[in-house]
Structure formats: C-alpha cells, structure tokens
Amino acid sequence: MIHDRHLTVQNLGLIQRQAGVDREIAELVVAYGRLMVDSGQPLSFEFPHSPSGSREHELLSRLRTMNREVDGRFLSFLAAWAAAMERQNCQPVYSRADLADQLGMTPKQLLVTIGRRSSFYRRLTIPKRNGDARIIHSPRAPLRAIQNWILQNILSGFTPSKASHGFAAGRSIVTNATYHQKKRVVINVDIEDFFPSIKFCSVRKGFQRIGYPYSVAVDLANLCTSKGVLPQGAPTSPALSNLVCIRLDRRLTGLANSLGHTYSRYADDLTFSSDDGHLPAILPFIREILADEGFKVAEHKTHVYRASGRQLVNGLVVNQAINIDRREVRRLRAALHRFHTQGADAVFFKSKKPTIQNHAKVLQGHLAFLKMVNPARAQSLLRKWT
C-alpha cells in the first residue's frame, strides 16, 4: 500500500532521468512529490505567486538573489519544497554539496568522513544491573558533532507515532503504562538486539520519508550508521529508531485495534493489553510482523500477566493505579532511614548507572523516579524524613 502510494512519484523521477534531467533535480522532484502525497495534497508542480511575507516568498527571494541565471519556475519549486520541509521543522538540504556546506565541510571532506565513519567509534562495555554487559559504540570527533547537527536540525522536528513512548518529548514509561491500566491481560514482548537490527537501508528510507532526496538520505544514513547498522550509543540512534519503526507501530496498532486490544511501545519493549482473556493468541501474529520488519522476539523476555497477579509495564505495576513495586518502596524507605540515621555510606541502593558511586545521588535519583511515577507516595516519604 505504501509503495503504491508513491508509485506515480517514482515513475515521474524515472521519466525525468530518462529525459536527461540532472539526477539531483530529479531526486528533489521525487522528494517533493512524496511530501505532497504523504500530506494528502494533490501532486502538482504549478506554483502560484507566493504572497509577500510568506515563507515561500522569503525563500524564493533568497534563491533568486543567489541564482540570478536560474529559471524562476525551478526556483519556485525549490522554495516550495524548502518551505514544506521547514513546516515539519526539518532543515532543507538540497544536495550532497549543500549538506557538506551546512556541515562546514568540503564535499571531499564529507566523502572521506563517510568512508571512515566506522573508525570514529569507541567501543565501550557498560555493566548492567543484572550482571550482563551492554556494548556501546560512542562516536568521536568529527562524527559526534555531525550527528549532533543531524539530531538538532533534522530529527528534533520528527514526531514519533502515537504508540511510541520512548525517546519522545513529553512521553515516558509512565505515559506508556497509562495505556494498560486495569486490564484483564497484559503481554510484554521484547525485541532482541534492537539497535543492531535496524539496517542502513531502513535508516535511508526513514530520511526519505521525512522528505529528503535520495542522495542526501544516503549520506545522512551513512553518517548515522556503522558497519551497516544503527549503533547503540550514537546521539541520533534513539530518534532514528522511532523513525524506522513508524510502519511497525502502524501495523501492530492496526492488528491490536482490529481485535479490540491496546498496543504501545517503549523503545524495544512492546506491550499489548486487553480485557479479552484470549489476548495471548495474538503472539504468533506479532512474531510474524516483527520478522517482516526485520526484528526478532527475545522469547525469554516475553511475559503474560493476568489480573490475578502483579501486572508490569516497564517495571511499573498497572493493576490499578500506576505505581512502582511495593518491595521497591520498602527498600527505598529503609534506605532513607539509614541515610538519615547513619549517613550516606550506610546506603546500599543499586544505581541504574553502575558507574555512579555517590550514594546520596543514587538515593536522590530513586526518589525522583518515585516522584515521577507516584508523587503522593514520594511526598509522604520525604515528609517523614525532612
């Protein structure tokens, strides 16, 4: 369905290239056409006079000043595409040369950086609380600065699907858990090797989905991937994972809604809930959709919770009001008692970041988490010890 929607646009680009139109221009035409189709607007390349003061008029005036010998109709097209990109808070990038210029590089420097991109990562091993190791690939200069530019100027304007609650402003594990309160059955499904499962091709298509021409999307995807996959540890990876998962979220939302269930996702954690006791029958279909999208279920992390027991979503209890586990509250209360009666060195509370050794800060972090989840309970604890 998605491919059919863009078929006319793709054919238009093919016809232009066959007619000898410059490749980068043909790619811009396709990018503009995709934007129009995706926004529900008619596909038209007739650009009426833009009123003074409009963004299109400002862009056209600037383009005319810089390109006095270029056909005005083509400049009107460029202004329309750039304005459409800006309306979704994305920095317009017309071509590979333009990308290099905006990054403060020459085209050759950009090409060299792309060719050496995998050598700019440091491999770090960070211990998890359960004793396992998490492998992080942290980018070094100049790649980190480039990725931060992409994050700020391109990805920060992207709004994830409504089903996605991770790496999204104004959303959290609390908003995610809210979808699954007081349900008869809750199922948690975890994606195995989430970031490394996201391939270069999917990232490139994600940048095209935003509205960038093919060659620019290729360069952006190269700058954000390493050895053909999305590296965990790059500043751009969280936002790109949401961009790549738009179709996954759409398909799983459609599947859940068609059966009267509820679906949401927090990064690699998928949650389904329902008052229908037959909810677990959905699992084979979930596995099939995930496999079709290039993902695999971490079977040992799949859990089915029924209302008769404790139901968890991202570690939060959702049977009734959203809360953290009562055992965690008891441990936090005991830690507060030791802190105020024996001092910070008597606090032995595990940190979510094992490298942090400051006990007072660890305790403060756990209190802040409780305050986010259950402000009344946090206030009650603090009132007792302050």
Side-chain angles (χ1 to χ4, degrees), residues 27-37 44-45 47 77 80-81:
E27 289 178 0
L28 272 170
V29 169
V30 172
Y32 177 79
R34 288 175 63 98
L35 279 178
M36 294 302 99
V37 171
S44 172
F45 291 90
F47 305 103
F77 157 67
W81 173 79

Side-chain angles (χ1 to χ4, degrees), residues 73-355:
R73 291 170 298 179
F74 178 62
L75 295 180
S76 294
F77 157 67
L78 293 182
W81 173 79
M85 294 296 289
E86 289 186 353
R87 277 194 289 272
Q88 54 184 17
N89 299 314
C90 292
Q91 176 71 20
V93 182
Y94 297 94
S95 63
R96 285 176 155 167
D98 186 34
L99 176 61
D101 184 63
Q102 294 196 48
L103 290 172
M105 310 170 76
T106 65
K108 183 177 180 180
Q109 287 173 327
L110 177 59
L111 186 63
V112 170
T113 301
I114 289 174
R116 297 181 54 203
R117 61 192 180 280
S118 294
S119 67
F120 292 119
Y121 287 92
R122 288 181 301 163
R123 188 178 186 273
L124 305 173
T125 302
I126 299 178
K128 297 181 182 180
R129 285 185 295 171
N130 62 5
D132 294 340
R134 175 179 283 111
I135 306 301
I136 300 294
H137 292 87
S138 177
R140 298 181 290 107
L143 189 59
R144 175 168 286 275
I146 292 173
Q147 290 179 350
N148 282 329
W149 184 93
I150 294 172
L151 180 62
Q152 179 180 353
N153 293 278
I154 293 177
L155 296 173
S156 63
F158 164 70
T159 301
S161 70
K162 291 182 179 180
S164 175
H165 292 262
F167 319 128
R171 308 182 200 179
S172 65
I173 61 172
V174 177
T175 62
N176 187 46
T178 302
Y179 279 69
H180 308 286
Q181 283 180 269
K182 304 178 183 179
K183 296 294 182 69
R184 186 177 174 185
V185 187
V186 174
I187 296 179
N188 289 334
V189 176
D190 191 86
I191 296 176
E192 189 172 278
D193 297 327
F194 181 55
F195 286 105
S197 296
I198 299 176
K199 303 298 190 288
F200 164 85
C201 183
S202 297
V203 177
R204 186 260 300 165
K205 289 178 180 178
F207 281 116
Q208 285 185 276
R209 185 181 296 116
I210 293 176
Y212 289 99
Y214 177 82
S215 295
V216 173
V218 167
D219 283 355
L220 290 172
N222 274 321
L223 290 167
C224 295
T225 57
S226 175
K227 298 180 180 178
V229 302
L230 204 60
Q232 184 170 4
T236 45
S237 291
L240 283 171
S241 69
N242 279 338
L243 177 60
V244 168
C245 285
I246 283 181
R247 192 171 75 163
L248 172 67
D249 288 338
R250 185 184 299 125
R251 294 180 68 181
L252 291 176
T253 297
L255 171 66
N257 289 349
S258 69
L259 298 170
H261 308 326
T262 301
Y263 159 74
S264 69
R265 179 177 61 84
Y266 188 90
D268 57 349
D269 294 325
L270 317 179
T271 304
F272 299 81
S273 64
S274 180
D275 288 325
D276 183 349
H278 296 96
L279 175 63
I282 200 176
L283 282 169
F285 302 99
I286 295 171
R287 294 186 183 98
E288 183 179 345
I289 290 175
L290 284 171
D292 193 43
E293 295 293 329
F295 297 110
K296 182 181 178 181
V297 173
E299 298 292 350
H300 65 289
K301 294 183 179 180
T302 298
H303 301 287
V304 178
Y305 301 107
R306 298 193 179 272
S308 56
R310 187 182 51 167
Q311 296 174 315
L312 297 176
V313 176
N314 301 128
L316 301 181
V317 181
V318 296
N319 294 68
Q320 295 298 322
I322 296 174
N323 208 343
I324 66 174
D325 191 302
R326 66 183 64 184
R327 291 173 296 184
E328 291 295 321
V329 176
R330 285 197 293 266
R331 280 194 283 267
L332 183 55
R333 183 184 294 112
L336 275 170
H337 174 76
R338 288 194 299 271
F339 179 80
H340 285 283
T341 58
Q342 303 175 46
D345 290 339
V347 176
F348 302 103
F349 221 101
K350 286 187 177 181
S351 169
K352 292 184 178 180
K353 296 181 179 180
T355 55

